[in-house]
């Protein structure tokens, strides 16, 4: 049996339906992405760990210097499914429905693509503000988190976002980036200075918001003149984090998103200068994933955060 056929069998067992058609459309962070058609006629999207090659040759075996793929642990896909369901409870930004989840795959409803119009961007901003306003019980989440296949410490803290952000988001990824050689002592000292001053840099205190947590432009799908959210690292966090992520990699019609957001739930004074503070975590994640090519971005974000 081919590996693609084995994947279709796995997904069929997970959904309880026969997979009539399965087409691999890409891969990322060690996962394969598939468009599938189920026996009841529904089309769906699946993210799956590829099954092992039954008979790898000598040249196919991973060498000692190759980064291993994700651990086939149920928590990886369960975290994403938990996040999608939790975001859906807010009845604000639409998200795909979780059709099935297991140790080796996540299956969600298909979202047909549409244009990212200025009207859709304005509405997405409004929806995102309402999502954040739905709130969370604490900073963090009651499930283990992941971002791009890397673990996120979601240990809850009900009172203090600056301390939580410094010790659950910045410090673990700074340590990892330094240990792997992606960052040098120069960048480390700047990020450590941000951590030391986090209380004065974070702005006015806000209650925990219900945030997506990895809200870059690629995780916003446009369909039916609305923005949909996919692939969350959802948790109780600071609402400026999602907006900073949208700015980091150039969301379409970002100005309209921000107008829609601010019309629905006005942002706190001084939020724009705080954008680099919130971008520092995803930039550290990228340094961990892609190495020294992100040194300058980390250094620039840390300096800008310290200049608030």
């Amino acid at each position: 049996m081919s590996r693609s056929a084995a994947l279709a069998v796995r997904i069929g067992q997970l959904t309880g339906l026969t997979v009539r058609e399965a087409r691999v459309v890409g891969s990322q962070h060690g996962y394969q992405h598939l468009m599938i058609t189920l026996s009841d006629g529904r089309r769906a999207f699946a993210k799956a760990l590829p099954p092992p090659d039954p008979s790898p040759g000598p040249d196919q075996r991973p060498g000692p210097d190759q980064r291993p793929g994700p651990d086939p642990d149920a928590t990886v896909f369960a975290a994403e499914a938990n996040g999608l369901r939790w975001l859906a409870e807010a009845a604000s930004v639409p998200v795909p429905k979780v059709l099935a989840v297991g140790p080796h795959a996540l299956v969600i409803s298909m979202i047909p693509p549409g244009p990212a119009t200025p009207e859709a961007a304005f509405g997405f901003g409004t929806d995102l503000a309402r999502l954040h306003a739905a709130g969370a019980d604490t900073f963090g989440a009651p499930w283990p988190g992941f971002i791009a296949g890397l673990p996120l410490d979601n240990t809850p803290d009900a009172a203090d976002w600056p301390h939580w952000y410094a010790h659950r988001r910045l410090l673990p990824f700074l340590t990892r980036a330094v240990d792997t050689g992606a960052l040098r002592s120069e960048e480390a000292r700047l990020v450590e200075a941000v951590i030391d001053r986090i209380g004065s840099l974070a702005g006015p205190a806000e209650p925990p918001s219900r945030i997506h947590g990895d809200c870059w432009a690629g995780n916003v799908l446009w369909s039916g003149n609305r923005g949909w959210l996919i692939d969350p690292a959802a948790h109780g966090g600071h609402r400026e984090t999602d907006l900073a992520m949208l700015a980091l990699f150039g969301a379409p019609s970002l100005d309209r998103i921000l107008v829609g957001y601010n019309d629905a739930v006005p942002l706190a004074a001084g939020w724009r200068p705080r954008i680099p503070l919130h971008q520092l975590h995803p930039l550290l994640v990228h340094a961990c994933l892609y190495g020294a090519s992100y040194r300058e971005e980390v250094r620039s974000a840390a300096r800008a955060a310290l200049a608030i």
Side-chain angles (χ1 to χ4, degrees):
M1 181 185 293
S2 69
R3 298 178 78 183
S4 58
L7 265 178
V9 170
R10 272 188 180 181
I11 293 169
Q13 291 171 340
L14 196 60
T15 61
L17 297 167
T18 302
V19 175
R20 291 201 318 224
E21 180 184 7
R23 178 166 56 94
V24 176
V25 294
S27 62
Q28 190 176 32
H29 304 306
Y31 303 110
Q32 288 195 332
H33 298 170
L34 301 93
M35 300 291 191
I36 63 174
T37 302
L38 299 170
S39 56
D40 62 2
R42 284 180 296 172
R43 299 191 66 215
F45 175 86
K47 180 188 293 186
L49 284 166
D53 190 328
S55 56
D59 296 336
Q60 295 174 295
R61 297 190 181 101
D65 59 338
Q66 289 179 286
R67 182 186 298 155
D71 184 12
D73 190 298
T75 55
V76 175
F77 294 120
E80 186 170 342
N82 286 334
L84 286 170
R85 292 170 178 141
W86 188 60
L87 296 178
E89 288 174 6
S92 50
V93 183
V95 298
K97 183 179 180 180
V98 176
L99 302 180
V101 61
H104 302 287
L106 171 69
V107 185
I108 60 176
S109 58
M110 180 70 70
I111 308 302
T117 65
E119 294 78 16
F122 182 92
F124 174 68
T126 300
D127 289 343
L128 188 63
R130 291 172 177 161
L131 171 67
H132 292 165
D137 292 335
T138 65
F139 296 110
W143 55 78
F146 293 88
I147 186 167
L150 298 178
L152 281 173
D153 184 354
N154 277 343
T155 303
D157 185 330
D160 185 350
W161 179 81
H163 180 273
W164 185 89
Y165 181 66
H167 291 273
R168 306 298 180 197
R169 291 296 181 262
L170 297 183
L171 189 56
F173 288 91
L174 173 62
T175 301
R176 186 183 186 117
V178 170
D179 288 348
T180 60
L183 298 182
R184 301 167 300 192
S185 58
E186 176 188 351
E187 294 85 28
R189 284 194 297 270
L190 285 168
V191 178
E192 287 165 353
V194 172
I195 292 171
D196 289 342
R197 292 179 49 195
I198 191 72
S200 63
L201 301 177
E206 292 205 3
S209 292
R210 188 171 303 222
I211 72 169
H212 177 278
D214 190 14
C215 196
W216 72 287
N219 284 339
V220 182
L221 298 183
W222 302 95
S223 178
N225 211 33
R226 296 188 76 182
W228 293 61
L229 288 174
I230 61 168
D231 201 11
H235 62 277
H238 198 300
R239 60 190 180 132
E240 292 172 9
T241 296
D242 277 350
L243 299 177
M245 279 292 286
L246 288 169
L248 184 58
F249 297 111
S253 298
L254 179 60
D255 57 334
R256 297 301 296 160
I257 294 173
L258 294 174
V259 170
Y261 190 106
N262 216 34
D263 280 1
V265 184
L267 288 155
W271 68 271
R272 285 187 185 273
R274 289 191 293 271
I275 287 175
L277 174 65
H278 292 269
Q279 291 177 338
L280 194 51
H281 170 242
L283 288 171
L284 287 170
V285 171
H286 277 69
C288 293
L289 290 170
Y290 305 114
S293 61
Y294 275 86
R295 281 177 182 168
E296 179 56 38
E297 285 87 346
V298 169
R299 186 163 55 245
S300 296
R303 285 175 173 161
L306 290 168
I308 295 174

